[in-house]
């Protein structure tokens, strides 16, 4: 996460704190490359590619480098977008992770609502912790969002349907 994003994405810090409370550091030491969750704003680069800017670092389809977690979560607006090349398709962050060996990626199709998406991923991680696979965890998290009685407006697909999983259905042991 980028510290500058905390001011404009206030629910992200709460999500990070909840994840930190629910998943101990020892889990990260045991499986350091299990899940990479990028949280923040996405930006279009000069060549019309999408990227996450974090402090002085930028993560784009061309700069993923050695990042190859089992699951990459691209938690930002339109994080599945990319530069369209004839005969190649979309050169996106999602594709970059898949080409780099990441077996599964969660990305967004359109702008993400900060509050509902933070809640969605909180539910996602609770489902992962209960032993559910990544696709079941995401499906159940979406169900919790669209059936949230405190936020009936979240039943609208805008709040939950934008996050998609591509790749393998993974399970994590915690």
């Amino acid at each position: 996460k980028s510290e500058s994003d905390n001011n404009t994405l206030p629910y992200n810090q709460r999500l990070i704190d909840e994840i930190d409370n629910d998943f101990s550091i020892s889990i990260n030491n045991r499986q350091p490359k299990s899940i990479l969750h990028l949280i923040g704003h996405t930006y279009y680069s000069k060549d019309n590619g999408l990227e996450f800017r974090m402090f002085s670092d930028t993560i784009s389809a061309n700069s993923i480098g050695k990042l190859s977690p089992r699951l990459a979560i691209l938690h930002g607006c339109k994080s599945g977008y990319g530069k369209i090349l004839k005969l190649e398709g979309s050169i996106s962050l999602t594709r970059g992770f898949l080409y780099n060996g990441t077996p599964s990626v969660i990305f967004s199709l359109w702008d993400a609502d900060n509050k509902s998406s933070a809640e969605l991923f909180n539910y996602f991680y609770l489902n992962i912790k209960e032993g559910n696979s990544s696709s079941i965890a995401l499906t159940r998290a979406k169900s919790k969002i669209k059936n949230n009685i405190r936020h009936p407006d979240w039943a609208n697909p805008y709040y939950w349907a934008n996050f998609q999983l591509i790749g393998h259905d993974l399970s994590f042991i915690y």
Side-chain angles (χ1 to χ4, degrees), residues 20-38:
D20 190 38
N21 289 335
D22 288 340
F23 294 89
S24 72
I25 298 302
S26 63
I27 291 171
N28 290 334
N29 289 334
R30 252 189 11 222
Q31 297 179 351
K33 292 187 173 184
S34 290
I35 299 173
L36 173 65
H37 191 139
L38 298 175

Side-chain angles (χ1 to χ4, degrees), residues 50-52 57-67 93 96-97 100:
L50 202 70
E51 59 190 25
F52 278 91
D57 294 328
T58 299
I59 298 176
S60 68
N62 297 324
S63 69
I64 291 171
K66 294 181 182 181
L67 295 176
L93 287 167
F97 275 101
N100 205 39

Side-chain angles (χ1 to χ4, degrees), residues 7 26-27 35 58 81 84 100 144 148 169 172:
N7 296 330
S26 63
I27 291 171
I35 299 173
T58 299
Y81 276 39
I84 304 296
N100 205 39
K144 289 285 273 188
N148 189 313
D169 187 17
F172 299 88

Side-chain angles (χ1 to χ4, degrees), residues 98-142:
L98 293 170
Y99 275 16
N100 205 39
T102 298
S104 192
V105 180
I106 294 175
F107 61 94
S108 67
L109 295 172
W110 57 77
D111 288 349
D113 175 74
N114 182 237
K115 188 173 184 177
S116 64
S117 66
E119 280 292 310
L120 182 133
F121 283 109
N122 184 47
Y123 293 135
F124 172 81
Y125 283 111
L126 291 174
N127 279 290
I128 289 290
K129 191 172 183 181
E130 289 175 0
N132 294 296
S133 69
S134 53
S135 67
I136 292 172
L138 186 59
T139 299
R140 289 185 176 172
K142 287 179 178 185

Side-chain angles (χ1 to χ4, degrees), residues 32 42 46 53 62 127:
T42 55
K46 292 177 186 175
R53 293 184 194 149
N62 297 324
N127 279 290

Side-chain angles (χ1 to χ4, degrees), residues 61-80:
N62 297 324
S63 69
I64 291 171
K66 294 181 182 181
L67 295 176
S68 59
R70 290 184 62 218
L71 171 63
I73 299 173
L74 308 178
H75 186 171
C77 294
K78 302 178 186 174
S79 61

